[in-house]
Structure formats: structure tokens, C-alpha cells
Amino acid sequence: MQYPVALQTSSLTPSAPASPEPHTPIPENEPKVIKITNCKILRDHKIVEHDAIWIQGGKIIDPHKFFWYQKRLPDQVLDAGGLLVVPGFIEAQINGAFGVDFSVPSDPETYEKDLLLVNRGLLKYGTTSYCPTIVSSSASVYHKVLSHLKPREGSAKTGATMLGAHVEGPFINEARIGAHELKVLQASAKNGYADFKDVYGLEGETPEAQNKLSHDNQNSVKIITCAPELEGIMDSIPDLVKAGITVSVGHSMANISQAEEAVQKGATFITHLFNAMPQFHHRDPGVIGLLGSRFDLPRPYYGLICDGIHVHPNSVKIAYDSHPEGVILVTDAMSAMGLAPGNYQLGNMNVTKEEDRVYIEGTDTLAGSVITLDACIRNFIQFTSCTLIEALEAVTLHPAVLLGIQETKGVIKPGADADLVFLSDDLFVKRVFVAGEEVDLDAIDVQVTEKF
């Protein structure tokens, strides 16, 4: 996969403007400038040493332009202590954490309070942007929760940026239901895009309600996981893409022809590869076979739950070897992430957490994970022997390109948001910045004792 032109390597030392104004006045209330030094930087597909990061107004800035136009030194110089500085991690699939389940409605005040808990808690593990994920639910649930999940900027105080919801279902195949509830599934979309709008609450009952609900909820939906073999789904994909929604193939029985047709129509992602889909078969590899599509067809990005439980390490390496540029590490974490073993809730289903895994209560069916995104990076390197850059781009650049936000997220370059993670040599999170402001990680309390 060739990266978009905007992401191709550019010079690390751009030349100064040809004729700078000699005495450009500094506007009043100009945001302070921070210079981060003594660090290694993930930039332009390389680990760069002996360089610095300059921040102003929550953005990465060009130090050359800053010097030539503002004629002053930084207001603060921050010594990174030799740590590796990378873009903030981006999570494309997470159902909840710290006792909070995004799929369970509550009164608006409580739901917002729970979102704040998760938004702040995720920063401890380096996740600065994410798509809160809703499992297959009834229409009434989507109508209640989606308006809370529309994109909102993060900060050191309020936590991670919310990029919009990942609605995982209910247009999925009941033969690959996984931990979803059968009775809420939609077996088809006979009316095409109109059925999606109806289920997700993109239209209201009155013209006034329709305008507000449609605006709020449509802006809330960033990713839709669906099974393209179901009636009406395939023909709906172009309309979903036109609406600005990333279409992902998942919880599906699609054969390879159907899967490739879905990609040709605009699907660009595979939801948790290997899970909730047929096993690989040499005569018809199904959805997994998209990793081996011939070169005249686009190959989608694919999510990998790299906890060593949902996907065997050998399978992780096979996927990586087949399509290294397409991997996006996801946690698929549920509400018990960050909590002690016990009984919790996922949507309308009771689940049991046993140390590092979660099952639907009374069964051996996995019900999401409890791993964190930084741990996925460490596992991915261990499982595949990939480079450090490849592992880090699987949680930064790749999800940013998938979601079309690579100019502001997932990269360290002038104009990008100053969402930064400082990592030790063994890839543990040491410091985090959101929108150019450092987060007090020690002050984040996500201890929850209540169980369901």
C-alpha cells in the first residue's frame, strides 16, 4: 500500500521563508511556545534523533517559520529525558472500560459522567483519540446514546478525543454473532441506506426532530461494521461511504467474491480479523482472503486484537507478513478493562472476567478483551518481530489514514494536533500530552469497585 501523497516523507529541515518580515509584531495573548528536546521522535516513518518538537496553541508548529516570523525563543523548554515521543494512540474499536459500557443507556448526566471517566482513563495507556464502540443493539439504544458520542475534542482535563462511534452491528450475520444479542440483529437492509438511517436514528418522527436527530446521530457514526452478504447491505455501501462513514466488513459469512465486491464498493476495514468470520480455507478464503487480493484491487486495513487470546500469535504473524501496511491494532476492550476479576455487563449480556479474558456468563464464548492499547504494541512486536516503527504506526498513522484524519492525528508534523505519548525503551507510557498540554497521569483515578 502506498501512503497518500500528504504522508510521504518531507524534509526535516525546510528552508526559511525567502523574505520574512523583519519585525512581525507578536499578537496580544499569543499562546506560549513549548519546545520538547532530548528525545527520539517517530516522524515520517523513521525514528529521528537530535531533533525537537515545537508546540503552540495545541498544534505542532514549524520552528523555522516560528523563528523567522516571531523572532523569539520558546517560552518553555521541556527535557524529555531521552524518551521516545510518538503521536497519541488512536483506538478504532473499544466497547467500554473502567466499569463503563457505551452500549448501556442511562440518564444523560450519568452517561456523560461515565464518558469522562473513560476519556480520562484511556490517557494512562497512551490512547488520546478513539471511537467508542456500540455492539448490536435495539434502535431505541442507538437513538439514546449516539448523540452523546459525536466527535468532541479532548484536553488534558477532559481526556481523549472522541472521533465518533463505531457501530458494530446490528446488520451482521447471525451465523457469526459472537458476543452479540441475537434478537436485536437486522437480517437485511431491503430498503438500502434508509434502513440504516432508521435503525441508528438518523431520522426523527417530526421534521424538527428529524433535522436535529439526523444531524446529531449521523455526525456521531464514524465506522459501521456490517456483513455485506446480507440482503441490501452491498448496495448500501456506496451511500454509507458518501455520508462520510467508514465501512468495515465483520461478523460475516461472506465468501471471497462477496468480500472483494464490498471492498470495490468502498469498504476499507475488516473488523477484528479472524474473529466472527469463517476460518481460512484454501479454496475460498472468505473475508480473511482480502489480505491476499491481487494487486489491482485495494486491500483494506484490518483490526487485530493482539492479546494472544483472540488471535494466536502465529496467526498475528501470518496477517502481518501478508499485509504489513494494513494492520491496525485494536483492543475490542469491554467494560471490565482496568477492573478486577468478576461479573460485568456488555450491552444486555452478563459476562465474567477471569484475569486476562472475558466470557459470556456460563459459556466459553469470548466477549471482548481487557487488554490496553500499549500492551497490544508490545505483544505485536513479540509475536511478529516487526520493527518498532511498524508497531507504532499500527496505532497511530494507520488508523488515522483509515479515518481520514491523517493531517491532524497520528503524525508529528506542522499543523497536526499536539497529542503526544512519551515511551520508555520497553514501551511503557511515561508522559502524555493532549492538545499541547501535559496530562497529570498520577491524578487520573479509574478505580471502580462496583460490579453488575
Side-chain angles (χ1 to χ4, degrees):
M1 176 182 292
Q2 183 176 359
Y3 289 107
V5 173
L7 294 179
Q8 293 177 2
T9 303
S10 59
S11 172
L12 295 178
T13 56
S15 59
S19 300
E21 294 292 334
H23 299 292
T24 303
I26 300 173
E28 293 185 8
N29 301 319
E30 184 77 13
K32 74 175 184 179
V33 174
I34 301 172
K35 178 183 178 182
I36 301 174
T37 64
N38 188 21
C39 58
K40 302 181 287 288
I41 305 168
L42 175 62
R43 177 186 281 153
D44 293 325
H45 317 301
K46 297 184 290 291
I47 301 295
V48 180
E49 300 191 44
H50 311 299
D51 203 349
I53 300 172
W54 293 64
I55 300 170
Q56 185 179 35
K59 297 283 188 177
I60 308 295
I61 64 170
D62 184 333
H64 299 273
K65 291 182 178 179
F66 167 74
F67 174 78
W68 282 97
Y69 284 120
Q70 298 196 27
K71 301 292 187 183
R72 63 189 180 99
L73 297 174
D75 301 288
Q76 178 183 358
V77 177
L78 189 154
D79 188 330
L83 296 174
L84 172 62
V85 183
V86 305
F89 304 157
I90 303 171
E91 168 74 272
Q93 184 175 7
I94 178 169
N95 304 288
F98 316 118
V100 177
D101 186 338
F102 301 130
S103 301
V104 178
S106 58
D107 65 87
E109 184 178 352
T110 300
Y111 199 89
E112 286 293 327
K113 182 179 178 181
D114 288 343
L115 283 177
L116 179 62
L117 175 69
V118 177
N119 290 354
R120 285 181 52 76
L122 290 177
L123 297 180
K124 293 178 73 72
Y125 306 102
T127 299
T128 60
S129 302
Y130 76 107
C131 292
T133 303
I134 308 297
V135 296
S136 293
S137 302
S138 65
S140 63
V141 170
Y142 295 117
H143 297 183
K144 290 177 182 177
V145 305
L146 280 178
S147 61
H148 293 281
L149 304 179
K150 56 181 177 287
R152 65 177 77 176
E153 291 297 327
S155 70
K157 181 178 179 180
T158 61
T161 293
M162 292 169 53
L163 300 171
H166 179 167
V167 285
E168 188 185 358
F171 296 93
I172 61 175
N173 198 314
E174 66 177 49
R176 285 293 181 266
I177 190 173
H180 292 232
E181 193 173 13
L182 178 61
K183 70 180 183 180
V184 301
L185 299 190
Q186 298 287 325
S188 68
K190 294 180 181 179
N191 300 308
Y193 183 44
D195 285 346
F196 285 85
K197 293 197 293 183
D198 182 57
V199 168
Y200 297 132
L202 306 186
E203 293 184 341
E205 295 179 358
T206 67
E208 294 78 11
Q210 177 176 336
N211 287 337
K212 184 178 188 307
L213 193 62
S214 176
H215 179 269
D216 287 350
N217 286 8
Q218 185 164 336
N219 287 345
S220 297
V221 177
K222 191 67 175 178
I223 306 173
I224 290 179
T225 290
C226 54
E229 72 276 12
L230 299 182
E231 182 182 4
I233 302 296
M234 193 76 76
D235 291 337
S236 301
I237 293 175
D239 290 326
L240 294 170
V241 173
K242 186 177 179 180
I245 296 169
T246 297
V247 176
S248 184
V249 177
H251 289 273
S252 170
M253 289 292 292
N255 59 37
I256 184 59
S257 296
Q258 292 168 323
E260 289 189 332
E261 183 181 355
V263 171
Q264 289 175 318
K265 286 183 176 292
T268 53
F269 193 40
I270 303 172
T271 296
H272 46 48
L273 184 73
F274 297 116
N275 291 278
M277 60 188 63
Q279 295 181 2
F280 182 88
H281 191 281
H282 60 285
R283 293 197 179 94
D284 188 339
V287 176
I288 299 171
L290 289 172
L291 273 64
S293 291
R294 61 186 190 271
F295 292 109
D296 60 333
L297 291 176
R299 287 193 292 175
Y301 287 100
Y302 57 94
L304 273 179
I305 307 171
C306 213
D307 61 355
I309 300 167
H310 281 76
V311 183
H312 191 278
N314 290 18
S315 299
V316 172
K317 189 174 190 308
I318 288 171
Y320 159 74
D321 287 344
S322 299
H323 186 20
E325 299 89 353
V327 61
I328 293 177
L329 301 180
V330 299
T331 64
D332 195 24
M334 48 79 66
S335 58
M337 190 198 94
L339 304 184
N343 296 319
Y344 300 96
Q345 191 171 15
L346 178 64
N348 292 324
M349 308 184 77
N350 294 324
V351 299
T352 300
K353 179 181 180 183
E354 298 177 357
E355 297 302 334
D356 59 353
R357 61 197 69 197
V358 182
Y359 299 102
I360 296 177
E361 190 175 40
T363 75
D364 59 358
T365 301
L366 288 169
S369 83
V370 290
I371 196 168
T372 58
L373 206 50
D374 61 325
C376 285
I377 298 170
R378 296 190 292 271
N379 285 348
F380 188 62
I381 294 173
Q382 179 184 349
F383 296 167
T384 65
S385 298
C386 70
T387 67
L388 174 60
I389 295 169
E390 287 174 313
L392 292 171
E393 290 189 342
V395 297
T396 56
L397 178 64
H398 294 182
V401 175
L402 170 73
L403 298 171
I405 55 175
Q406 66 271 22
E407 292 302 311
T408 57
K409 302 287 186 185
V411 292
I412 296 177
K413 67 176 185 178
D417 294 338
D419 298 342
L420 304 171
V421 176
F422 294 56
L423 297 170
S424 61
D425 290 342
D426 51 1
L427 301 181
F428 282 87
V429 175
K430 297 301 181 182
R431 304 174 76 168
V432 174
F433 276 64
V434 177
E437 184 177 355
E438 184 162 14
V439 178
D440 185 354
L441 297 179
D442 293 334
I444 297 176
D445 182 11
V446 291
Q447 296 300 316
V448 178
T449 57
E450 181 182 357
K451 300 178 184 179
F452 304 101

